[in-house]
Amino acid sequence: MCGIVGYLGKQEKTISILITGLKALEYRGYDSAGIAYQKNNKIKVIKSVGRLEQLEKKVKLENTVLGIGHTRWATHGKACTTNSHPHQSGNITLVHNGIIENYIELKQMLEKKGYQFQTETDTEVAAAFIDDALKSSKNMIKALKKAKEKLKGSYAFAIFNDLEPDTLYAMKKESPLVLGKTEEELFLASDPMAISSYTKEICYLNEGSIVKLEKNKVTLIEEKDTRPIWKTLNIENCNNGKNGYAHYMLKEIYEQPDVIYNIINPFLKDPEMEFKKLPNFSKYKKIQIVACGSAYHTGLVGKWMIETYASIPVEVEIASEYRYKKVFYDKKTLVIVVSQSGETADTLASLRKANKDHIDTLALVNVITSTIAREAKYILPLKAGSEIAVATTKAYLAQLTLFSLITLKLKLEQSSNMEEIIPLLSAFQKLPLKIKKLLENLKTKDIASKIYKHNDIFFLGRSIDYAICMEASLKLKEISYIHSEAYAAGELKHGTISLIEEKTPVLSLVTDTSIQEKTISNIKEVKARGAYSIVVTNQKLEECDYCDDFIIVPSTEPLFQPILNIIPFQLLAYEIALLRGCDIDKPKNLAKSVTVE
Ligand code: F6R
């Protein structure tokens, strides 16, 4: 999603810092980019559609002390050079993340005052509004305060005006923005990753903050406190390259054994102590898990784990629905939000809704410096390291691992019997090695070569296998652009089976022994209609006339089986996308951190 970088510092560094910062944000997904800087009392704006390399071709490394840069993920108006940021109006030049919801109304008002608009964006309207407010107040802080009062929606802005050379302003509401500093430089960024190679001294801006940056001077106008609070950035989450892999996604798939090991190792060493460190869940009679996309899918697995092994009812909700619906919770409800980035707008809004109603909240989150991590009552870090590929793999697996630990803690609270947990932990301990071996032995390349040209691929499973199929289907469609659907195996014949044609690939996951026979009869139904049937299983299936190909996953304790089951699907999606020549790490139209609703 959109990214912001701002810099005020040394002449010769400005342009390259803007470009390097934008490159560090590339993984978030974007469709155009631009920079603006002040040079000899003039403003230069350079924009380009497509990848940053296109922008770099247009940019000259001129000397200037002040600049702003932006990567745009189109929301209002198509991806084109005109609509890309920075935008200008009158004396104002700015970049923006977020959405100005009342821009049409403001645009009409500004048009009556004589403003003309060149773009289809809400951002240009914000620039005009601030310019108009500056004209009447003659004071930039007053103009920004007026904008804060009138602009509805979400925003992080980096702004400068023609009248104040070498001065950078920023303002934020519901979109992340951080400051950074060194002795002689000041930075602005929507994500600390953009500036982490230049500074580790970071200040997270609070909601509603307005900031003025001048040479070695930061003036912060906040609702509560006016002093910036500087923290040292934890560099754990910084990108350390592809490490020899062709894509980040592949690297991240292969990092999964280490991710699980990092989470469970302390529990293996001192289970008593580590389980004590987890929040005390005993007072909760109900759990609500709220998330988006793959994180929502981990919630479905978490529900199965907690309900099956700890008998506590769990509701799983899509955050964009939850935030606007009537929710039934009380003091005995725990709301768990799940998010890799910790910045997903809908998940954050859901967390805030629960916090506002004084309901206990727990965040399973990877970026521990994120807004969600800062605002949840309890947090459990995923410890997955930075995830760069847009399609999540290792963060998803870390979330499943944490849900397993939460389930074990709930069991422990119910029986106070560590003896019951120890054998489960020893099965847990074997998972990293099992995943390593599975990755070594998988023959997904061969299967991918047989099915990659198809336009539709279906996934079937029941119960927990269905929850994994939903993630498998999302992985495939997001990176290969093949239409795909996951179906609860028994549901297919209620309509969707009409889409099964001769050779339509159908991947079925059969590991839940309690309903294995039922799933197999559903597979037979699609096979009878000509499907090319691929069965993923940890079972020895006796009679195999219903499958054309097999993928075997190793067995483990049923509680942890889902953690193994997703692995072949991740790799298969990768191999298929590779054969189709897709941009695997940056799939079209997608963003890594979805900061708008
Ligand atoms: C899919 C994917 C997305 C995210 C979703 C939530 O591979 O990555 O579906 O899971 O956008 O993002 P986070 O976890 O950052 O809240």
Side-chain angles (χ1 to χ4, degrees):
M1 212 135 265
C2 304
I4 290 178
V5 186
Y7 178 77
L8 176 62
K10 296 181 187 164
Q11 292 264 4
E12 65 290 355
K13 281 173 75 180
T14 305
I15 306 283
S16 67
I17 282 178
L18 295 180
I19 299 288
T20 320
L22 293 180
K23 278 188 180 161
L25 297 179
E26 266 196 302
Y27 76 101
R28 296 162 63 105
Y30 68 103
D31 42 52
S32 55
I35 61 167
Y37 53 94
Q38 293 181 336
K39 174 85 187 156
N40 304 333
N41 296 328
K42 285 205 175 111
I43 311 294
K44 290 208 175 176
V45 178
I46 303 154
K47 311 200 245 191
S48 176
V49 82
R51 294 278 176 240
L52 275 170
E53 291 84 70
Q54 306 305 320
L55 180 70
E56 268 185 295
K57 281 183 197 155
K58 290 184 173 180
V59 166
K60 280 195 217 133
L61 288 179
E62 294 196 272
N63 279 357
T64 169
V65 291
L66 174 68
I68 54 179
H70 191 262
T71 45
R72 174 175 188 251
W73 186 84
T75 57
H76 293 60
K78 61 183 177 294
C80 62
T81 310
T82 314
N83 285 338
S84 62
H85 302 208
H87 288 291
Q88 293 186 287
S89 186
N91 286 317
I92 297 294
T93 302
L94 57 73
V95 292
H96 165 222
N97 286 2
I99 290 175
I100 305 301
E101 285 166 2
N102 58 339
Y103 80 105
I104 292 184
E105 179 194 315
L106 296 176
K107 191 171 184 176
Q108 285 163 353
M109 180 274 285
L110 290 160
E111 274 168 345
K112 280 186 199 141
K113 290 188 169 190
Y115 280 90
Q116 287 178 351
F117 294 91
Q118 321 300 324
T119 78
E120 301 160 88
T121 65
D122 51 338
T123 304
E124 191 189 10
V125 176
F129 186 90
I130 296 169
D131 181 64
D132 184 49
L134 180 61
K135 263 188 209 149
S136 49
S137 66
K138 310 265 182 298
N139 176 304
M140 188 66 177
I141 298 284
K142 281 190 186 156
L144 293 180
K145 281 188 175 166
K146 183 163 180 200
K148 190 173 141 181
E149 208 181 289
K150 298 285 181 207
L151 299 183
K152 293 201 180 116
S154 58
Y155 49 76
F157 287 116
I159 317 165
F160 54 74
N161 70 60
D162 298 359
L163 314 170
E164 292 175 276
D166 306 343
T167 309
L168 180 58
Y169 289 89
M171 178 160 100
K172 83 142 254 159
K173 183 186 158 218
E174 289 174 24
S175 272
L177 201 58
V178 294
L179 299 179
K181 67 170 179 181
T182 65
E183 251 175 42
E184 295 170 74
E185 300 158 297
L186 291 167
F187 301 81
L188 263 179
S190 51
D191 178 336
M193 204 154 193
I195 51 175
S196 63
S197 46
Y198 302 103
T199 178
K200 301 281 180 282
E201 260 199 284
I202 295 289
C203 165
Y204 292 93
L205 292 180
N206 288 327
E207 286 306 285
S209 302
I210 296 173
V211 194
K212 181 177 183 183
L213 304 180
E214 297 158 281
K215 196 172 172 12
N216 298 329
K217 188 175 168 201
V218 177
T219 314
L220 189 58
I221 297 107
E222 278 202 32
E223 276 152 23
K224 291 181 193 142
D225 196 343
T226 51
R227 279 170 303 117
I229 299 170
W230 296 95
K231 293 185 175 163
T232 305
L233 182 66
N234 175 351
I235 54 163
E236 207 182 310
N237 267 332
C238 293
N239 175 6
N240 59 359
K242 287 188 207 149
N243 212 3
Y245 287 93
H247 295 94
Y248 279 107
M249 182 178 176
L250 193 62
K251 173 187 165 229
E252 287 158 8
I253 288 174
Y254 277 87
E255 279 172 351
Q256 293 181 113
D258 293 337
V259 169
I260 299 199
Y261 179 81
N262 287 343
I263 299 175
I264 61 173
N265 192 36
F267 286 83
L268 301 172
K269 283 192 180 146
D270 190 348
E272 298 267 359
M273 166 72 98
E274 290 303 315
F275 279 114
K276 249 188 217 138
K277 282 192 205 158
L278 295 184
N280 184 342
F281 299 118
S282 56
K283 76 173 198 205
Y284 304 116
K285 298 282 174 265
K286 181 167 92 171
I287 293 174
Q288 289 178 336
I289 303 174
V290 190
C292 301
S294 293
Y296 167 76
H297 294 156
T298 62
L300 296 172
V301 179
K303 172 183 167 74
W304 173 84
M305 288 176 169
I306 295 168
E307 289 186 341
T308 311
Y309 292 88
S311 299
I312 295 179
V314 182
E315 292 160 6
V316 190
E317 304 268 2
I318 293 171
S320 53
E321 295 291 318
Y322 184 87
R323 63 182 292 187
Y324 293 116
K325 70 185 260 194
K326 181 166 177 166
V327 172
F328 296 91
Y329 45 30
D330 59 25
K331 296 279 177 256
K332 291 187 176 159
T333 309
L334 175 68
V335 172
I336 303 182
V337 294
V338 188
S339 178
Q340 187 287 127
S341 63
E343 300 294 352
T344 303
D346 288 316
T347 312
L348 176 59
S350 302
L351 171 73
R352 287 180 172 160
K353 173 174 175 153
N355 280 344
K356 192 163 158 264
D357 289 337
H358 306 288
I359 305 298
D360 285 355
T361 53
L362 164 66
L364 310 192
V365 65
N366 198 29
V367 182
I368 50 166
T369 48
S370 62
T371 315
I372 288 179
R374 282 180 280 130
E375 295 192 14
K377 177 167 181 183
Y378 305 109
I379 86 158
L380 288 181
L382 305 185
K383 296 185 186 168
S386 74
E387 191 178 63
I388 303 295
V390 164
T392 183
T393 51
K394 61 176 182 171
Y396 171 87
L397 213 79
Q399 289 157 7
L400 297 194
T401 310
L402 286 178
F403 273 121
S404 315
L405 288 169
I406 291 172
T407 307
L408 293 183
K409 164 90 179 189
L410 285 163
K411 261 177 91 69
L412 202 55
E413 281 173 354
Q414 288 163 2
S415 70
S416 308
N417 186 358
M418 189 51 96
E419 296 307 303
E420 265 182 31
I421 304 298
I422 299 294
L424 290 168
L425 281 179
S426 75
F428 220 163
Q429 184 176 18
K430 296 192 183 112
L431 284 186
L433 193 60
K434 284 192 185 217
I435 296 178
K436 243 183 213 156
K437 285 204 175 138
L438 177 60
L439 284 168
E440 276 163 22
N441 297 328
L442 275 173
K443 302 271 180 289
T444 40
K445 245 188 201 137
D446 176 45
I447 295 180
S449 68
K450 293 180 194 159
I451 62 176
Y452 78 99
K453 287 189 180 152
H454 281 266
N455 295 326
D456 307 282
I457 295 183
F458 292 85
F459 292 82
L460 295 187
R462 282 176 183 250
S463 177
I464 182 58
D465 288 340
Y466 171 45
I468 296 296
C469 282
M470 290 171 82
E471 174 61 7
S473 170
L474 180 63
K475 253 346 36 116
L476 179 72
K477 70 184 111 185
E478 68 184 323
I479 62 166
S480 73
Y481 318 141
I482 295 177
H483 164 252
S484 139
E485 288 182 43
Y487 257 81
E491 183 64 12
L492 199 73
K493 58 179 155 299
H494 296 287
T496 309
I497 201 162
S498 63
L499 297 176
I500 304 294
E501 289 175 356
E502 202 55 41
K503 299 266 173 287
T504 304
V506 177
L507 285 111
S508 311
L509 179 61
V510 190
T511 66
D512 189 336
T513 45
S514 63
I515 29 83
Q516 176 182 322
E517 290 312 317
K518 304 288 173 195
T519 313
I520 290 173
S521 14
N522 300 132
I523 302 173
K524 287 181 179 169
E525 288 160 8
V526 291
K527 182 74 189 136
R529 281 151 187 89
Y532 183 74
S533 161
I534 303 156
V535 174
V536 181
T537 183
N538 62 346
Q539 307 290 311
K540 270 207 172 90
L541 300 178
E542 292 305 323
E543 183 208 331
C544 288
D545 56 340
Y546 53 87
C547 55
D548 300 294
D549 258 312
F550 262 129
I551 297 178
I552 300 290
V553 284
S555 286
T556 178
E557 276 293 329
L559 171 62
F560 310 128
Q561 190 64 47
I563 296 176
L564 295 175
N565 292 348
I566 191 61
I567 306 284
F569 293 114
Q570 295 172 335
L571 207 57
L572 185 65
Y574 174 84
E575 301 288 2
I576 290 175
L578 197 63
L579 289 170
R580 288 169 70 93
C582 300
D583 190 351
I584 294 181
D585 286 336
K586 297 183 208 117
K588 69 174 156 69
N589 303 339
L590 295 184
K592 183 72 183 160
S593 183
V594 185
T595 48
V596 294
E597 61 175 300

